[in-house]
Amino acid sequence: MSLPLVSEPRAVPVPRTSLGEGPHWDGHTQTLLWVDIPAGQVHRLDPVDGSHGVVDVGMPVGAAVPRVEGGLALAVRDGFAVLAEEGLEVVAPVTAGERPGNRMNDGACDRAGRFFAGTMSEDDTPGAGALYRLGPGRRCERVVADVSISNGVAWSPDERLMYYVDTLTGRVDVFDYDPADGGMANRRVFAVIPRGMPDGLTVDATGHVWVALWGGGAVLRLRPDGSLDLTVEIPATNVTSCAFGGPDLDVLYVTSAWDGRTGGELFRCTTFFTGLPANPYRENSTPDGRAPERW
């Protein structure tokens, strides 16, 4: 009898979130970051000893990644921010130029340390948001307009492709990507999602795309041509995102949202697959070599 490629998901013994999102494996500290968006909380888990910490940001937070210069880089309600010993500093107030009620949502960094994250309206108004890129020197640019619910961002192993989810389209799109300057071109449909709606995503070492299904209760693994490879059923209706972690990047962590009956747990699956290392935000174009601090 062959072993399953992905184990049954198990809930990690940490507090339930109302809207868990943005799992990110911090390879330097060997810990997992994720957020509870409306609570404005960043969570960190050490899977070795089970220790768990929470930082209250003071406003809704859609994504958290380590920052090479120390602390964390965040996508918060008001824009891109950094969280260091001095406290929270909004460095690019992107939502100030958008319609009232918008906030930032999911995001991720490329290998050069550019932080991509987008916005959405709290009432899900179509086309109210955008996707932004925060680069060295805190330079922020809008790179995709007319976005409804900006969600998952991830890259192929060679970084020549960038995958992107605008949830209300019901699909995963792909851009040609230039890792030298962060340029994006030739947007096209990668995969139409058959159940629920696409949310966060990640890419494994063989270039397969894993996408969480809001309202679909599962994570899909899609082949590099966009066809379905396998389905991982999750015991929560609103599955929000996924990321590989662990020393060998073979543990799939899955976040979820509470719907009044199920969800809000952080789930863990062991797999026969290997993820790609997650990247920190690099604020300086010439890095100083210091590793992110752990809090």
Side-chain angles (χ1 to χ4, degrees):
M1 181 178 177
S2 61
L3 294 173
L5 296 174
V6 180
S7 71
E8 290 290 325
R10 295 182 178 273
V12 180
V14 293
R16 188 191 300 265
T17 57
S18 58
L19 178 48
E21 252 285 13
H24 179 106
W25 182 253
D26 182 346
H28 174 67
T29 61
Q30 292 290 292
T31 58
L32 182 78
L33 293 166
W34 75 103
V35 302
D36 187 348
I37 294 177
Q41 294 179 335
V42 181
H43 294 252
R44 189 188 291 268
L45 170 71
D46 185 335
V48 174
D49 62 14
S51 60
H52 168 256
V54 180
V55 168
D56 289 310
V57 174
M59 67 177 77
V61 54
V65 300
R67 175 172 166 253
V68 168
E69 294 79 12
L72 300 174
L74 309 174
V76 298
R77 179 193 62 204
D78 295 350
F80 289 105
V82 295
L83 181 64
E85 292 181 357
E86 301 79 15
L88 182 74
E89 178 187 4
V90 176
V91 299
V94 299
T95 54
E98 296 189 346
R99 71 191 297 272
N102 277 18
R103 66 164 174 82
M104 296 205 83
N105 204 39
D106 202 2
C109 298
D110 69 2
R111 285 195 197 107
R114 306 178 189 97
F115 191 4
F116 287 75
T119 56
M120 59 172 286
S121 168
E122 285 285 18
D123 62 7
D124 298 341
T125 299
L131 178 67
Y132 295 88
R133 178 179 61 221
L134 182 68
R138 302 182 174 181
R139 182 185 179 190
C140 183
E141 301 172 88
R142 180 183 294 184
V143 293
V144 180
D146 299 319
V147 173
S148 297
I149 301 178
S150 187
N151 248 310
V153 182
W155 290 265
S156 60
D158 63 2
E159 277 203 335
R160 292 295 177 181
L161 298 173
M162 178 178 137
Y163 299 97
Y164 177 58
V165 170
D166 179 357
T167 293
L168 293 190
T169 66
R171 64 179 192 257
V172 179
D173 287 351
V174 61
F175 294 84
D176 294 327
Y177 189 76
D178 186 346
D181 62 9
M184 303 151 53
N186 191 25
R187 182 178 182 175
R188 56 204 181 271
V189 176
F190 172 69
V192 175
I193 300 305
R195 59 188 271 194
M197 294 189 293
D199 203 314
L201 51 76
T202 191
V203 177
D204 67 26
T206 61
H208 288 67
V209 178
W210 299 68
V211 57
L213 304 184
W214 178 275
V219 174
L220 304 183
R221 185 182 194 240
L222 305 175
R223 300 183 181 96
D225 64 3
S227 62
L228 178 62
D229 180 55
L230 63 85
T231 300
V232 182
E233 302 290 343
I234 304 295
T237 301
N238 293 329
V239 183
T240 57
S241 194
C242 54
F244 283 94
D248 299 318
L249 295 177
D250 59 355
V251 178
L252 184 70
Y253 288 97
V254 180
T255 51
S256 65
W258 173 248
D259 67 0
R261 298 180 300 106
T262 66
E265 297 96 342
L266 172 70
F267 295 98
R268 178 185 186 275
C269 305
T270 56
T271 80
F272 280 91
F273 304 104
T274 303
L276 295 171
N279 303 304
Y281 170 56
R282 193 180 298 277
E283 190 166 330
N284 300 317
S285 55
T286 303
D288 62 11
R290 287 196 297 140
E293 299 167 357
R294 178 176 175 179
W295 47 263

